[in-house]
Amino acid sequence: MNTDIETQSRETADLATASLGNQLNRQMIVILDFGSQYSELIARRIRETQVYSEVLSYRTTAEQIRQLNPKGIILSGGPNSVYDPKAPECDPQIWHLGIPILGVCYGMQLMVQQLGGKVERAELAEYGKAQIYINDPTDLLTNVEDGSIMWMSHADSCTELPPGFTILAHTDNTPVAAIANHEQKLFGVQFHPEVVHSQGGIALIRNFVYHICDCEPTWTTEAFVEEAIREIRARVGDKRVLLALSGGVDSSTLAFLLHQAIGDQLTCMFIDQGFMRKGEPERLVELFDQKFHIPVVYINGRERFLAQLKGVTDPEEKRKRIGHEFIKVFEEESKRLGPFDYLAQGTLYPDVIESADSNVDPKTGERVAVKIKSHHNVGGLPKDLRFKLVEPLRKLFKDEVRKVGKAIGLPDEIIRRHPFPGPGLAIRIIGEVTPERLKILRDADYVVRDEINQQGMYNDFWQAFAVLLPIRSVGVMGDSRTYAHPIVLRLITSEDGMTADWARVPYDLLEKISNRIVNEVKGVNRVVYDITSKPPGTIEWE
């Protein structure tokens, strides 16, 4: 069993796909990724129609696709121009598979070029919102209103269509905004129907999935849970499984799912590194151990983690040291509690996509995608650990994990928990992490969460938290001069964390949070509000 973790992860991915393919993937849409930042979003939109979707490299061959037997194929957008010498191309044999295909933006232009049409630099680039005017309201554009706003992002246009194609829609600046070869079921759109800014985009996607690809809604939460439990039991058998529990929705959902599948064969380990929010470690153990009757082994590592950060101010160095110490504690405790045959991880589908090499051109070595999502995970586990991996959630997006959690009995306080970085409060303290600063931030953060909960606004935000700055400013409290820290409030809205906007909250709420922090948290005399969106900023400060 001394097996490389990464190799096991790849094997697990193959097993997961094969197992799901037995039942759920019969109704599958494949997305070929050409480097678009929206490829994951396309997959999510397909799954919202209750049809399974999977993102694959643009280098996937027609034969490989044929073996998967999908009901449809979508070609994503991308940052390149199709006429560039190094532009990524798909296997031209996919046009002859007899499978319906939808090209989106770059995907449409590639379809046009490979099938004998022409794509050229547009006289007028088109970015942002644009009205589309429908020439043909059938098939792909059924129930899409004429004059709908769609999201454009292109500087190239199709100037000549391949044989058999007709124009479905146009805009003021783009004569060819949507195309079709109805006989061969090949379609293309110059806009992005998957983004929220596109009116009627979901209707268009549903037309492709249901009417053109003839899919049925088999990708349901109930079907996934049933299949996942069968798969876990078949893979694990009577062996023991170790799960490093963090208290987040991913690891908590995984713990519930595994416990339903294998019961006492599961051991949950919670390593308290001292950087969680006020009351969270105690609440986590109480919920799992006493309420849900899922035993949790609590490991108190607060002092040793804090010692690792003494004098450290660089955020990347913080992450590395926390990750390294986590691995040391994990190794020590897993040996003490073991032996274990399997390690369970809450890997999600975006992690699988972003860690794959599908966006690297094998000829040039150049990265095709422009990735903007940053991660704050504690760090990977060493390759020589004696475990095999079990990752039942690796085909799910975050919103799907929440649905699974709800279906198997997770309480709302965990399902709706805001995303929380692996290094925790350590990267919300700018500069050195000390016991004093941890107490200040933990108390201030509690006020933020308490107030938005009291106002019934917790679910209005993607994240709502406090940041402690390593500076002091002058203030007046009573008749005395103070010289204390400022707290930054960060309340943001988002759909997926890829982009985010600062929340337009009532002034009364900001005032109440500010007053409570200044009055209740010793060491703070000023509160400011961060009104930076992502981009250009990031959600976290470090």
Side-chain angles (χ1 to χ4, degrees):
M1 284 192 309
N2 187 10
T3 308
D4 188 296
I5 283 262
E6 291 184 353
T7 301
Q8 288 296 331
S9 183
R10 287 193 294 272
E11 292 176 0
T12 306
D14 295 339
L15 284 169
T17 301
S19 178
L20 284 171
N22 291 338
Q23 178 62 37
L24 302 178
N25 287 10
R26 291 177 182 172
Q27 306 290 324
M28 179 170 70
I29 302 292
V30 163
I31 296 106
L32 295 187
D33 181 14
F34 290 89
S36 173
Q37 293 174 2
Y38 297 133
S39 295
E40 288 182 23
L41 186 54
I42 296 174
R44 286 178 55 204
R45 294 292 183 247
I46 298 297
R47 294 190 186 190
E48 287 172 7
T49 70
Q50 295 188 324
V51 172
Y52 182 74
S53 60
E54 191 159 323
V55 180
L56 302 178
S57 165
Y58 70 89
R59 300 193 303 271
T60 306
T61 67
E63 177 58 25
Q64 289 171 324
I65 294 174
R66 188 191 65 77
Q67 291 177 9
L68 288 172
N69 194 30
K71 301 282 283 186
I73 301 169
I74 295 179
L75 311 184
S76 82
N80 301 88
S81 293
V82 294
Y83 47 75
D84 289 341
K86 295 182 179 180
E89 297 182 348
C90 62
D91 183 345
Q93 293 303 312
I94 71 167
W95 313 115
H96 307 296
L97 289 173
I99 299 172
I101 299 175
L102 171 63
V104 175
C105 200
Y106 180 90
M108 179 181 103
Q109 295 167 5
L110 183 64
M111 177 186 294
V112 167
Q113 178 167 284
Q114 286 195 334
L115 292 176
K118 184 179 293 185
V119 178
E120 297 178 305
R121 191 76 174 176
E123 292 185 11
L124 291 173
E126 205 167 27
Y127 296 98
K129 297 176 181 179
Q131 279 186 295
I132 64 163
Y133 303 103
I134 298 176
N135 302 47
D136 181 353
T138 62
D139 279 352
L140 191 67
L141 299 182
T142 303
N143 297 322
V144 177
E145 292 187 13
D146 191 34
S148 292
I149 299 296
M150 295 294 182
W151 188 259
M152 293 285 188
S153 182
H154 69 101
D156 297 326
S157 287
C158 302
T159 56
E160 185 179 322
L161 293 184
F165 279 80
T166 60
I167 297 175
L168 300 183
H170 64 280
T171 72
D172 289 333
N173 294 334
T174 304
V176 183
I179 61 173
N181 182 321
H182 294 285
E183 184 178 347
Q184 296 184 36
K185 293 189 176 182
L186 303 179
F187 301 86
V189 292
Q190 187 61 74
F191 48 87
H192 288 273
E194 70 275 15
V195 303
V196 294
H197 309 288
S198 291
Q199 300 172 355
I202 296 300
L204 186 153
I205 289 171
R206 291 176 67 87
N207 288 337
F208 181 72
V209 170
Y210 287 133
H211 305 310
I212 295 170
C213 298
D214 197 28
C215 289
E216 296 178 4
T218 59
W219 180 250
T220 65
T221 302
E222 294 74 20
F224 172 82
V225 170
E226 184 179 333
E227 186 71 17
I229 289 175
R230 281 200 298 267
E231 180 183 322
I232 292 166
R233 288 172 177 168
R235 178 163 173 75
V236 171
D238 60 355
K239 305 299 183 181
R240 296 183 68 199
V241 178
L242 175 64
L243 167 63
L245 189 65
S246 70
V249 64
D250 302 338
S251 68
S252 298
T253 299
L254 181 55
F256 263 58
L257 189 63
L258 287 166
H259 194 256
Q260 285 192 15
I262 59 175
D264 293 341
Q265 293 169 239
L266 171 67
T267 296
C268 292
M269 178 201 300
F270 170 58
I271 300 173
D272 182 1
Q273 87 288 57
F275 307 133
M276 292 189 74
R277 293 173 286 205
K278 191 171 186 176
E280 280 194 332
E282 297 80 6
R283 179 61 175 160
L284 174 67
V285 174
E286 177 189 4
L287 275 175
F288 276 81
D289 211 353
Q290 298 178 22
K291 186 174 181 180
F292 306 140
H293 307 295
I294 301 176
V296 176
V297 179
Y298 174 80
I299 311 297
N300 187 344
R302 295 182 182 186
E303 290 187 6
R304 60 188 293 179
F305 276 91
L306 192 58
Q308 289 295 320
L309 297 188
K310 186 175 178 61
V312 178
T313 59
D314 179 74
E316 290 305 316
E317 184 64 21
K318 287 181 189 177
R319 288 190 186 87
K320 288 177 182 177
R321 292 197 178 204
I322 293 171
H324 179 73
E325 193 64 21
F326 182 90
I327 289 171
K328 286 178 63 178
V329 176
F330 183 89
E331 286 182 312
E332 293 169 10
E333 297 300 328
S334 62
K335 289 176 182 177
R336 180 177 68 85
L337 298 169
F340 297 97
D341 296 272
Y342 287 91
L343 172 66
Q345 289 195 153
T347 307
L348 302 189
Y349 195 43
D351 302 323
V352 175
I353 295 172
E354 292 181 12
S355 63
D357 67 346
S358 61
N359 57 337
V360 177
D361 191 307
K363 298 177 182 177
T364 65
E366 294 179 353
R367 189 166 294 275
V368 177
V370 181
K371 297 295 184 183
I372 64 174
K373 185 176 181 180
S374 61
H375 296 283
H376 301 282
N377 296 329
V378 166
L381 296 173
K383 296 179 180 180
D384 60 349
L385 287 181
R386 296 174 179 269
F387 296 112
K388 296 178 183 177
L389 283 182
V390 55
E391 299 174 301
L393 308 181
R394 65 177 291 117
K395 289 298 176 181
L396 300 185
F397 288 103
K398 191 80 169 187
D399 56 327
E400 293 175 315
V401 174
R402 295 188 195 278
K403 291 176 183 177
V404 169
K406 188 174 183 64
I408 60 179
L410 232 62
D412 280 345
E413 68 176 281
I414 293 180
I415 293 172
R416 304 307 308 172
R417 182 180 186 261
H418 290 171
F420 190 62
L425 299 181
I427 62 167
R428 291 180 180 172
I429 295 173
I430 310 304
E432 184 181 4
V433 180
T434 66
E436 177 195 10
R437 290 179 176 180
L438 271 170
K439 182 177 183 351
I440 291 173
L441 182 57
R442 192 173 278 122
D443 289 345
D445 181 83
Y446 172 78
V447 171
V448 176
R449 291 185 294 125
D450 186 49
E451 277 300 324
I452 63 175
N453 273 317
Q454 286 189 41
Q455 300 297 322
M457 297 180 66
Y458 184 86
N459 293 335
D460 294 345
F461 307 108
W462 174 263
Q463 283 176 259
F465 58 91
V467 177
L468 179 65
L469 300 185
I471 59 174
R472 297 175 189 267
S473 66
V474 174
V476 177
M477 301 180 82
D479 292 322
S480 301
R481 174 186 182 274
T482 62
Y483 194 55
H485 290 285
I487 284 289
V488 179
L489 301 182
R490 185 72 162 138
L491 283 69
I492 58 106
T493 59
S494 178
E495 280 203 348
D496 51 19
M498 296 284 288
T499 60
D501 197 9
W502 61 278
R504 275 65 168 175
V505 296
Y507 290 158
D508 289 347
L509 176 62
L510 292 177
E511 181 181 33
K512 196 165 187 181
I513 291 174
S514 177
N515 286 341
R516 281 193 60 187
I517 289 176
V518 170
N519 284 291
E520 297 176 21
V521 182
K522 186 178 179 181
V524 175
N525 67 355
R526 190 180 300 272
V527 176
V528 299
Y529 190 41
D530 184 350
I531 59 169
T532 311
S533 298
K534 175 189 177 181
T538 55
I539 294 175
E540 300 288 344
W541 273 51
E542 287 194 341

